[in-house]
Amino acid sequence: MLANKRILLIISGGIAAFKCPDLIRRLRERGALVTPVLTRAAEEFVTPLTISAVAGEKVHGALFDLTAEAEMGHIQLSRSADLLLVVPATADLMAKMAQGRADDLASTLLLATDTPVMIAPAMNVRMWLHPATQRNIATLKADGIDMIGPDEGDMACGEFGPGRMVEPLDIVAAVEAHFRGGPLKGRRVLVTSGPTHEPIDPVRYIANRSSGAQGTAIARALVALGAEVVFITGPADVAPPAGVQVVRVETAIQMLEAVQAALPADAAIFAAAVADWRVASASGSKIKKDGGKLPVLEFAENPDILAQVSQMPDGRPGLVIGFAAETDDVLAHATAKRARKGCDWIIANDVSPTTGIMGGAENAVTLITAGGAEDWPRMGKDQVAARLAARVAEALTEI
Ligand code: C5P
């Protein structure tokens, strides 16, 4: 997949640098030729000897290396690559890149290049959320630099939140997608997936039987066509696919906030089985048995994420797709739902227990568009996803 692709891997000084030997191995397994560059700070986290051994190449470090200048030169080094990959990209290196500074080999290469650049940021959550970093990210994106992640999760510093570097295999998937190109290259697609959990009290919740399998398959199929995918998932049984930006949520309200934060997007696919109701005043402490007295739960309606996005006055994605899981009168209910919510397409399916679709590997869907209804034969959820991704690609070329 990456056969003979020349990747200039710039490793900057963050703890996530310890994942670079694994990343290099994965890239080389796929045929890539990896030339490593370490910043001075990176050498504190991973040794040049280790990196050179796994890369099978000399490590470049100093800007004023006279031998290297005589043999190749730092300009040549950046130009001879097919891709510049920065892993991890620290807040400091991103700031330098945004300003166009060139005070060491890594930043000089990044400034001197006319080759595509992808960066996998990794930093403490506060550093990531700091307005200065956010400004730099906006600048780098406007400069055409591709961001891989970061993820949200546990950090080496003991905190939790966005800023965690995506795993090496996900970086490899993003690099593969970059070289593959595909009809959705340069398109940003948002996918919701899985169930939501609505708390009753700190230990109990209301949920549904969605496994997240169809939403995950759709996200994977979109990545395969080159899309940049933001994958907003409730607590699903199925792990998120490689190569997407994962945002994990629990409740419908959190999912709505995550969707709003992820916009703008070219297309949005709402495959999540969002709970229609939440417990109006979830208890802050565990509800106790009370001498045979039964608890009474009052419900409040959750926001309809699909309807809200479909009816956005400004910044609505060009293509909004919803799902309609029904147990009876599938076509009539789904057609009415498309009109009521204001989305462009509805994927309708029959989730009666006898169909085995909910939680199963197959799906039989009907695609409902402005042009009418189209029955797709029963097929694997991966095939439904591939077919849908291809249709999305086709539709986006017309938007
Ligand atoms: O109304 P119903 O739940 O059947 O609609 C299903 C579609 O609406 C799905 O695409 C689902 O992701 C979306 N939805 C939503 N927010 C809700 C309820 C449903 O986005 N609160």
Side-chain angles (χ1 to χ4, degrees), residues 55-397:
E57 282 217 33
K58 171 180 173 289
V59 167
H60 299 264
L63 180 54
F64 300 111
D65 176 339
L66 292 181
T67 327
E69 284 306 311
E71 285 169 359
M72 182 183 245
H74 59 271
I75 306 288
Q76 185 58 23
L77 188 58
S78 72
R79 300 268 172 87
S80 60
D82 297 306
L83 174 71
L84 264 64
L85 180 63
V86 185
V87 182
T90 59
D92 181 55
L93 183 54
M94 287 167 62
K96 276 191 195 174
M97 290 171 72
Q99 286 182 23
R101 292 180 56 188
D103 58 4
D104 64 359
L105 182 62
S107 52
T108 304
L109 293 171
L110 286 158
L111 194 63
T113 197
D114 53 3
T115 301
V117 178
M118 298 177 82
I119 70 174
M123 67 197 70
N124 167 271
V125 55
R126 293 281 145 234
M127 293 171 81
W128 174 257
L129 294 174
H130 195 284
T133 305
Q134 292 297 316
R135 271 197 307 276
N136 292 335
I137 292 163
T139 304
L140 294 174
K141 282 188 177 170
D143 288 348
I145 285 170
D146 263 355
M147 301 268 170
I148 313 171
D151 275 352
E152 200 174 279
D154 291 324
M155 303 194 157
C157 55
E159 292 185 37
F160 181 92
R164 189 175 195 277
M165 192 175 85
V166 303
E167 294 298 330
L169 274 180
D170 289 339
I171 296 175
V172 171
V175 169
E176 286 180 326
H178 165 83
F179 283 115
R180 195 168 36 232
L184 286 173
K185 191 166 166 57
R187 298 292 196 172
R188 180 176 166 88
V189 185
L190 185 160
V191 178
T192 70
S193 184
T196 63
H197 284 183
E198 308 295 333
I200 297 171
D201 65 20
V203 295
R204 305 182 180 96
Y205 57 83
I206 294 171
N208 59 64
R209 294 186 194 282
S210 166
S211 63
Q214 187 63 81
T216 302
I218 290 168
R220 189 181 296 115
L222 293 164
V223 169
L225 296 189
E228 172 196 350
V229 177
V230 186
F231 184 69
I232 301 170
T233 178
D237 299 340
V238 180
V244 301
Q245 186 192 331
V246 184
V247 184
R248 289 189 169 81
V249 298
E250 293 226 336
T251 66
I253 288 179
Q254 290 168 358
M255 189 172 272
L256 173 64
E257 286 167 359
V259 165
Q260 285 166 338
L263 291 172
D266 296 294
I269 304 179
F270 294 89
V274 184
D276 289 320
W277 308 282
R278 66 180 179 280
V279 177
S281 51
S283 170
S285 54
K286 186 182 170 194
I287 302 171
K288 295 285 185 199
K289 274 194 273 193
D290 184 9
K293 207 173 128 220
L294 298 178
V296 177
L297 298 181
E298 273 206 37
F299 288 92
E301 197 160 307
N302 269 331
D304 190 319
I305 307 167
L306 170 62
Q308 281 202 23
V309 171
S310 298
Q311 293 164 30
M312 278 171 70
D314 295 311
R316 180 192 190 275
L319 180 63
V320 179
I321 305 174
F323 275 71
E326 307 286 347
T327 53
D328 52 279
D329 252 344
V330 177
L331 191 58
H333 281 135
T335 306
K337 192 167 286 181
R338 177 178 171 274
R340 192 169 64 244
K341 302 214 183 201
C343 56
D344 302 300
W345 298 355
I346 281 268
I347 312 283
N349 59 355
D350 186 343
V351 290
S352 316
T354 47
T355 63
I357 282 173
M358 205 97 172
E362 292 193 328
N363 210 349
V365 308
T366 303
L367 172 66
I368 302 170
T369 68
E374 194 182 296
D375 284 325
W376 292 3
R378 189 174 172 119
M379 55 179 110
K381 286 184 177 172
D382 284 345
Q383 289 164 287
V384 171
R387 199 157 162 171
L388 179 63
R391 292 293 285 266
V392 168
E394 206 180 292
L396 287 184
T397 58

